[in-house]
Amino acid sequence: MGFIEDAVSSFSGWIWGVPLLILVMGGGLVFLFYSRFLPFKYIGHAINVLRGKYDTHHEEGQITHYEALSTALAATVGMGNISGVAVAITMGGPGAIFWMWVSAFVGMATKFFTCTLSVMYRGKDSEGEVRGGPMYVITEGLGKKWKPMAIFFCVFTLIGALPIFQANQLTAAMNAVLGPAVGYDTEATFSLFGAPVGIASFVTGLILMALVSMVIFGGIKRISSVAAKLVPSMVVLYFGLVIYILLQNVGGIPDIFASIFEEAFSGNAILGGGIGAVIIIGAKRAAFSNEAGIGTAPMVHGDTKTEEPVREGLVAMLGPAIDTLLVCTLTALVILGTGVHHEFIGAADTGLLGVTLTLKAFNAAIPGVGGYLLGLCILVFAVSSLLSYSYYGVKSVSYLFGAKKGELYNYVYIGTIILGAVASLGFVVNLIDGSFALMAIPTMVSALILAPKVMKATKSYFARHKAGEFDKK
């Protein structure tokens, strides 16, 4: 197992090098300037689309704009914003947050292009259902000769969509919060195939399996319906807790931002690294947080009921703004404001790099109950994320082997929940990071090639919008 963890770690470090950074962040900058910031001028219009102002009943697709964004956010506004921020700070220091912001801003442009394409170039599965996503963008937009790249994307989505990170961090949180309160031994182990496995973690994994199974076998409509109910409530609860904590240290917030900007360009927080390492860490954590350029969100947004691709691109663009620029920033302010991160920056003990650190920050800010309140948020965040991620794998299997076999992925999916619950955080993070990197290559390459098609559709759409065509319907 040690050999496998080392191999996965080495691959993740290698694939997230300068070339991929140029493709993901550089590609986002291309989208940003190529669009001349045009989509950003219509944030208000995007919110109106999200509210359903322009919805009609005859459009193709399976879910509404709101359900699509809720489902995508359920996978992003969650553990990536609680644990992912802690990972970024302990690996890269406060400066990593700045590069998460940069990645999120260019990620908004990336999501506009990739999710517009996911509706523009939709295909049909073997059952005749209209579907969207990078695999269909590649084959419908670039042609059948590009299908190997679509298959490449789907294969690594089967790994990237596994629920191991969410299961891992929820288990760690439950052990940290409930262990001391209830009095069960979180260190007790038993032997499974010759390897020591934590009893508490294993039991948590079994319970999660049962909860997730009750929803994911209902397909995207049930998943999106549950996500639409969970996401708003979990965001409001988490926001309330964070704002309460920040109000206790309002005077220190300027200093926190100063440290973020200072270390973003110094790299002093990295042991043996520099500014390049900080940028890469920030980009990796932003990619996990908002999935811009990875290709998962377009699979959900591509199933929206709309005949206007640009509309879905505008709605999708709101995602990185909500989950990274807003939620991740609030989490970072809590961690940095309480100062609990100082002893762990660059630490080798990966058990302290994730949700455990965020729990320490909440306990420090709200003694006695902070950990329990955050634990409740984590439970909702993690479960909603677990529901959404399953759909990505199902859709990939459906593309590769036919729609009737798509549900088979769910059996593998729920089985790996236990693996995530008992594995080390380092292994889990590196495996997902490596898979996301490989998914980003076909997603970004196809989007860059087809970018002129998006701009043509965008200019046409906004011209019709200005002419009042949509208000007449």
Side-chain angles (χ1 to χ4, degrees):
M1 189 62 187
F3 171 77
I4 294 175
E5 290 191 8
D6 290 342
V8 171
S9 176
S10 298
F11 176 78
S12 177
W14 171 77
I15 192 67
W16 273 102
V18 174
L20 189 70
L21 194 66
I22 292 173
L23 178 63
V24 175
M25 291 189 68
L29 285 172
V30 169
F31 293 139
L32 197 64
F33 290 108
Y34 183 52
S35 66
R36 298 180 181 178
F37 297 86
L38 187 61
F40 292 82
K41 300 176 184 177
Y42 291 91
I43 297 293
H45 179 65
I47 293 173
N48 284 331
V49 173
L50 183 63
R51 288 173 47 232
K53 181 177 180 180
Y54 305 100
D55 287 355
T56 60
H57 298 292
H58 65 276
E59 294 176 312
E60 284 190 316
Q62 299 187 48
I63 54 179
T64 66
H65 295 290
Y66 175 73
E67 287 175 333
L69 184 63
S70 295
T71 303
L73 285 176
T76 57
V77 180
M79 300 310 295
N81 304 109
I82 296 178
S83 302
V85 173
V87 172
I89 291 173
T90 50
M91 291 179 67
I97 302 302
F98 174 83
W99 294 108
M100 287 185 72
W101 293 340
V102 173
S103 296
F105 191 69
V106 300
M108 291 176 70
T110 298
K111 273 207 172 179
F112 173 76
F113 276 80
T114 56
C115 292
T116 297
L117 286 169
S118 71
V119 176
M120 187 181 296
Y121 293 107
R122 290 198 275 203
K124 291 187 177 181
D125 62 21
S126 60
E127 295 295 300
E129 288 281 354
V130 174
R131 302 291 185 185
M135 61 283 250
Y136 293 103
V137 170
I138 292 168
T139 52
E140 302 295 324
L142 298 179
K144 300 299 182 183
K145 65 180 180 180
W146 291 79
K147 189 170 182 177
M149 191 163 75
I151 294 173
F152 180 91
F153 170 81
C154 288
V155 167
F156 288 102
T157 298
L158 299 181
I159 302 174
L162 291 176
I164 53 178
F165 180 80
Q166 292 80 7
N168 180 280
Q169 290 299 275
L170 178 57
T171 300
M174 294 301 100
N175 286 343
V177 174
L178 296 180
V182 179
Y184 67 81
D185 185 4
T186 59
E187 301 297 324
T189 63
F190 71 99
S191 179
L192 182 65
F193 301 115
V197 173
I199 296 175
S201 299
F202 187 79
V203 172
T204 301
L206 288 174
I207 295 172
L208 278 176
M209 280 180 59
L211 289 174
V212 173
S213 298
M214 293 167 60
V215 178
I216 64 173
F217 287 101
I220 184 59
K221 292 183 179 179
R222 182 183 293 180
I223 292 171
S224 61
S225 176
V226 173
K229 294 178 177 66
L230 285 178
V231 171
S233 60
M234 71 179 179
V235 170
V236 170
L237 177 59
Y238 189 65
F239 271 31
L241 291 173
V242 171
I243 296 302
Y244 173 77
I245 293 172
L246 294 181
L247 288 176
Q248 299 178 34
N249 186 35
V250 173
I253 292 178
D255 291 334
I256 296 173
F257 278 100
S259 69
I260 290 173
F261 284 105
E262 178 184 349
E263 297 204 25
F265 298 96
S266 68
N268 291 332
I270 300 289
L271 295 180
I275 184 172
V278 180
I279 294 173
I280 289 174
I281 290 169
K284 285 165 66 175
R285 299 282 57 82
F288 186 80
S289 170
N290 60 55
E291 300 175 1
I294 304 303
T296 48
M299 284 193 274
V300 172
H301 287 286
D303 287 352
T304 305
K305 294 177 181 177
T306 183
E307 294 174 356
E308 296 288 350
V310 173
R311 282 184 187 164
E312 197 54 34
L314 289 169
V315 170
M317 186 179 69
L318 299 174
I322 295 170
D323 59 46
T324 304
L325 294 180
L326 184 57
V327 183
C328 282
T329 299
L330 292 175
T331 303
L333 290 176
V334 171
I335 294 174
L336 297 175
T338 56
V340 297
H341 64 291
H342 289 300
E343 62 181 294
F344 302 121
I345 291 179
D349 184 357
T350 55
L352 296 173
L353 296 181
V355 71
T356 311
L357 180 64
T358 314
L359 283 167
K360 287 179 179 290
F362 272 71
N363 276 325
I366 314 177
V369 298
Y372 297 108
L373 293 173
L374 179 61
L376 178 60
C377 291
I378 290 170
L379 177 62
V380 179
F381 280 149
V383 171
S384 63
S385 297
L386 286 168
L387 299 181
S388 299
Y389 265 76
S390 68
Y391 182 61
Y392 303 146
V394 168
K395 199 165 184 178
S396 295
V397 171
S398 297
Y399 180 85
L400 292 171
F401 305 110
K404 290 183 178 180
K405 296 181 179 178
E407 293 294 329
L408 294 176
Y409 180 79
N410 281 333
Y411 294 99
V412 177
Y413 185 86
I414 61 174
T416 57
I417 289 176
I418 293 181
L419 171 63
V422 301
S424 71
L425 175 58
F427 170 73
V428 166
V429 168
N430 287 322
L431 182 62
I432 299 300
D433 279 347
S435 301
F436 273 16
L438 294 170
M439 292 162 62
I441 295 172
T443 300
M444 291 299 293
V445 168
S446 60
L448 287 166
I449 295 173
L450 293 169
K453 301 288 186 181
V454 175
M455 280 311 300
K456 182 179 178 180
T458 301
K459 291 175 182 177
S460 171
Y461 178 83
F462 288 130
R464 287 182 287 137
H465 173 60
K466 287 182 178 179
E469 178 180 327
F470 305 132
D471 296 328
K472 300 173 185 176
K473 294 183 179 181

